[in-house]
Amino acid sequence: MGNGKRKSILLTGATGFLGSNLLRAFLDKEWDVSIIKRSFSNTSRIHNLLPKISFLDIDIDPLESIFDQRSSFDAVVHTATCYGRRGETASQVMEANLVFPLKLLEIAAFFNTPAFFNTATILYSFLNIYALSKRQFEDWGRIFSCQKKIGFVNLKLEQIYGPGDDDSKFTTFIFESLKKNVSRIELTPGEQKRDFIYIDDVVSAYILLLEGFKKENEFSEYDIGSGKAVSIREFVECVKEISGSNSELIFGAKPYRDHETMLSNADIEKLELLGWSPCIPLRDGILKSF
């Protein structure tokens, strides 16, 4: 993929926050993009982009048909996920995060696709069913790459945020609550530290790795984050200050989750060696998010 030709990408999760931002960036690069979605997917984020791309509705047509229609793809970029925040059962989360991408990985390998870029999680496997299913798929990626079937690039994302993010996420909850001047916002003590990274920096990391991909049939892994961890309390207080909200922050009103991760911080040295670094400081990213 590093030879400068126009790239052909198969993207999952294009209707989501990360996927829609990647889709715009790929089209800005004048890459040839196909997406996988469902016929009833909410395409509001990408409605104006649909005429510029090919797409497959997997509830109507078999997954293989998107490959049958094309001579080849340079890479699959997998961002589709199910967090289990909307009442999904364990089996539904497993179907979305393990069974579906495994089928896609298998088909991509069969059609000699050079690379599968997987959007992974930094969460501990047994924190919840989402983390477990995502971690299990990583192991399948390792097996396929060890068997020399396909290159598997595992991208472990820290706390992405930005305008238009999913309303089920903590960062969006904070932004929206403070904008609405909710009287009281109940929170944990907020001592856990997280690595917050603005969406544009995440997209630039994907672009760099896709443009530079050369190794076939190997497993590689990269952390994508700012490389700096701040406490949840510091993040929330910063958002409140910038927003000018009158909301009262009640730290300690809620307990930590079982097995709560108290420190999550990306090791971005491998990306820095490739010439990437985050460009948007936390305060600037928060300002852009309003």
Side-chain angles (χ1 to χ4, degrees), residues 132-151:
L132 179 60
S133 61
K134 295 289 284 185
R135 289 288 189 174
Q136 288 173 334
F137 180 61
E138 290 178 28
D139 291 338
W140 282 102
R142 290 178 186 273
I143 289 175
F144 270 63
S145 60
C146 287
Q147 293 177 347
K148 304 299 180 183
K149 293 181 177 180
I150 192 170

Side-chain angles (χ1 to χ4, degrees), residues 178-189:
L178 290 172
K179 279 197 290 187
K180 294 175 182 177
N181 277 310
V182 173
S183 59
R184 290 166 54 91
I185 303 176
E186 296 186 349
L187 301 156
T188 69

